[in-house]
Amino acid sequence: MSRILPRSTPLAEGVEPAAVRRLIDSLDRIEDVHSVLVLRHGRVIAEGGWHPHTADRPHVMFSVSKSFTSTAVGIAVHEGLLTVDDSVLDLLPDDAPADPGEHLRAMRVRDLLTMTTGHSASTMEGIDRTISLPGDGWARAILAQPVEHQPGTRFVYNTGATYLLSAILHRLTGERLLDYLTPRLLAPLGITHATWEQDPDGIDTGGFGLTITIEEMAAFGQLYLQGGVWEGKQLVPAEWVAAATVKQVENGPGDSPDWSQGYGYQFWQCRHGAYRADGAFGQYILVWPEKDMVITTTSGLSDLASVPEAVWDAFLRDDAWATPADIGAATPQPDEAAPLELALPTPAGAESTPVEDSLLGVTYDLEPNPRGFSALTLGRDADGRTEVVFTVEGVDHVVSFGHEEWSPGTSALLGAPADVATAAAWTDELTLRGRMIFLGTPFELRLELRFSGEDVAVLVDQNVAFGQRGLLDVSGEARRT
């Protein structure tokens, strides 16, 4: 994969290598960071992925997408297509209710950007995202919802507001958001892997759905750190960068300090003069102007505050920064830091069990469950790896698990085929634990099979989820032949 950003070493950019190591060690203790890239003075001083994740694989961004949508709005404002004070209903006349209320009539583009639309909750909730009838798409469904408060008066995190921005740009430009951004932003930055989920009407979802690599994330952050300038060209108006990345509205109190520092135009304020693009489960582009740094991560986290805390702990120390004397006294340095060698742990335990002969080839019929898992069979594949065959809605899904290493493969166990990596181990004679990581996403499945006589207990959980993390908790009985 071609590089976008120049490389260097921590010390050459005035950072003590011990501070970078402190950050990496902290991230390594967090379950599960997938990749990290650190920039200082516009140069990469640390990068790596936690195997089986790799830094060059595009990763789902979730709400980092919002900051890209905001950027598109800023470019469109500069091109004269709209202003932040334009009426939302004037820009989406075909989606307006027949009798809009006073608050809806008062809603402006600025209110969409700052998540102050006047709604009491996110307007994406309850929308059927799979079906759209002519004249009855997502925008119409969002605008039909009650606007309980005067726009501009209160912050409510609202992905539907960002979708409306995308719908507005789609109408004004006649093209999808991704296509609008490509020549103006993505191509100049060297972002070549971007994809964006669309609604049933072909409108990019705006508030989520973007997929890019971690270096592409970092390039976007560096662009903002440089005031919208890239290779001498002003890609994003400087005044938009300034407005988007300062506190436009109060958004606290939050669960942690970095979630209550204020909100800009689809950017979150952080402590210590930093700001960030922020996606669910730990997708971060943290821009820290005071230190001339950009720190990006992809993750599958439930403790969202852990990454910013790791950054502050690593670099808010006097010993984090190298002096010219330190640099001059150092032994000769390489031109760039080597990629970090990192890995997620595989399940600990034995490769096989003493009672394996009594378990292999036995099919267990599972009790009825909402997920449609009806049976499983334990076996060994041609390479000797532990194999579990899950029968779901009448279809067999074969999963081979590595031991003390991640086994790559493809699985449609949860729907569409996806690239995965798997590993498993016997934690005792009758208990098999496994992990199935969905590469390029925050998600993984954690499996436990507990055998007892003719029975098996099956637990399948997700590491993170927007709803319940428990997917399966059922018993099964050996099939009689």
Side-chain angles (χ1 to χ4, degrees):
M1 178 178 293
S2 61
R3 293 176 168 184
I4 299 173
L5 299 160
R7 265 62 177 174
S8 185
T9 63
L11 197 58
E13 305 308 323
V15 180
E16 285 290 347
V20 174
R21 187 72 255 171
R22 191 159 53 228
L23 172 65
I24 301 306
D25 288 346
S26 293
L27 296 179
D28 196 43
R29 290 191 292 269
I30 300 170
E31 193 181 36
D32 296 291
V33 178
H34 295 167
S35 63
V36 62
L37 189 148
V38 181
L39 287 174
R40 182 106 201 280
H41 303 330
R43 295 176 174 84
V44 178
I45 61 171
E47 60 182 317
W50 275 258
H51 183 73
H53 295 282
T54 57
D56 60 354
R57 178 184 287 270
H59 200 281
V60 175
M61 290 292 104
F62 291 104
S63 289
V64 167
S65 311
K66 292 179 169 67
S67 301
F68 281 78
T69 300
S70 165
T71 303
V73 173
I75 295 170
V77 167
H78 180 70
E79 292 179 351
L81 298 180
L82 77 165
T83 76
V84 297
D85 295 314
D86 285 348
S87 161
V88 172
L89 292 185
D90 287 349
L91 293 170
L92 293 171
D94 295 339
D95 297 306
D99 185 21
E102 176 185 355
H103 289 162
L104 181 56
R105 290 197 302 271
M107 191 185 298
R108 299 294 184 261
V109 170
R110 184 189 310 274
D111 304 319
L112 302 180
L113 289 162
T114 58
M115 301 289 191
T116 58
T117 58
H119 293 97
S120 294
S122 176
T123 52
M124 291 301 292
E125 302 299 326
I127 291 179
D128 188 337
R129 299 187 185 185
T130 63
I131 299 174
S132 182
L133 302 175
D136 192 25
W138 288 11
R140 178 176 286 259
I142 291 169
L143 293 174
Q145 296 183 41
V147 183
E148 296 91 340
H149 309 281
Q150 179 68 24
T153 61
R154 54 181 283 165
F155 173 90
V156 172
Y157 193 70
N158 182 1
T159 296
T162 320
Y163 170 79
L164 291 179
L165 292 171
S166 180
I168 287 168
L169 292 178
H170 191 99
R171 177 177 175 271
L172 293 176
T173 66
E175 58 185 341
R176 57 181 299 200
L177 185 59
L178 184 64
D179 292 339
Y180 177 74
L181 278 176
T182 294
R184 295 167 173 83
L185 180 82
L186 305 183
L189 289 180
I191 297 176
T192 60
H193 300 87
T195 61
W196 210 315
E197 185 179 340
Q198 296 175 278
D199 76 355
D201 292 321
I203 299 172
D204 289 2
T205 52
F208 59 96
L210 179 66
T211 299
I212 55 176
T213 69
I214 193 167
E215 186 166 354
E216 292 169 340
M217 296 168 69
F220 179 75
Q222 185 65 28
L223 171 72
Y224 265 79
L225 184 59
Q226 295 171 177
V229 175
W230 192 262
E231 296 182 345
K233 184 177 180 180
Q234 192 80 47
L235 300 185
V236 183
E239 60 272 20
W240 186 266
V241 172
T245 59
V246 298
K247 181 170 72 173
Q248 293 286 345
V249 295
E250 295 283 351
N251 71 320
D255 294 335
S256 64
D258 287 303
W259 273 258
S260 57
Q261 301 299 310
Y263 196 73
Y265 290 165
Q266 311 279 294
F267 284 88
W268 296 83
Q269 297 296 296
C270 304
R271 290 174 290 168
H272 313 299
Y275 58 88
R276 71 185 186 277
D278 182 324
F281 311 123
Q283 324 318 313
Y284 292 127
I285 305 173
L286 193 154
V287 181
W288 198 356
E290 179 184 329
K291 303 298 186 185
D292 199 19
M293 296 184 79
V294 176
I295 299 100
T296 55
T297 61
T298 63
S299 310
L301 302 178
S302 54
D303 181 4
L304 300 180
S306 58
V307 168
E309 291 290 353
V311 172
W312 311 142
D313 180 66
F315 297 114
L316 283 176
R317 304 186 186 191
D318 291 340
D319 65 0
W321 309 103
T323 67
D326 295 330
I327 298 171
T331 57
Q333 297 286 303
D335 292 336
E336 61 183 72
L340 301 163
E341 295 184 3
L342 306 161
L344 297 181
T346 59
E351 185 173 7
S352 61
T353 170
V355 298
E356 187 169 283
D357 288 346
S358 67
L359 303 176
L360 296 184
V362 178
T363 297
Y364 295 85
D365 292 314
L366 305 180
E367 60 190 2
N369 58 85
R371 293 281 173 180
F373 283 67
S374 59
L376 69 84
T377 307
L378 193 67
R380 291 275 176 187
D381 69 8
D383 296 318
R385 295 173 297 185
T386 298
E387 181 180 86
V388 182
V389 180
F390 296 94
T391 304
V392 184
E393 303 291 353
V395 177
D396 289 341
H397 298 268
V398 181
V399 182
S400 292
F401 293 90
H403 180 255
E404 297 184 342
E405 64 179 5
W406 293 102
S407 176
T410 303
S411 177
L413 191 61
L414 294 185
D419 291 339
V420 299
T422 57
W426 291 90
T427 58
D428 59 46
E429 287 188 355
L430 297 173
T431 304
L432 179 70
R433 289 200 175 106
R435 298 177 69 179
M436 174 184 283
I437 292 175
F438 289 80
L439 300 173
T441 84
F443 304 114
E444 71 170 88
L445 298 184
R446 294 170 180 175
L447 165 77
E448 180 180 277
L449 305 181
R450 296 194 307 271
F451 297 91
S452 176
E454 296 293 296
D455 299 326
V456 64
V458 182
L459 287 173
V460 181
D461 296 327
Q462 276 189 296
N463 60 327
V464 292
F466 289 106
Q468 291 186 345
R469 289 162 60 173
L471 297 183
L472 199 63
D473 184 358
V474 298
S475 297
E477 185 176 351
R479 183 177 298 172
R480 305 292 181 181
T481 57

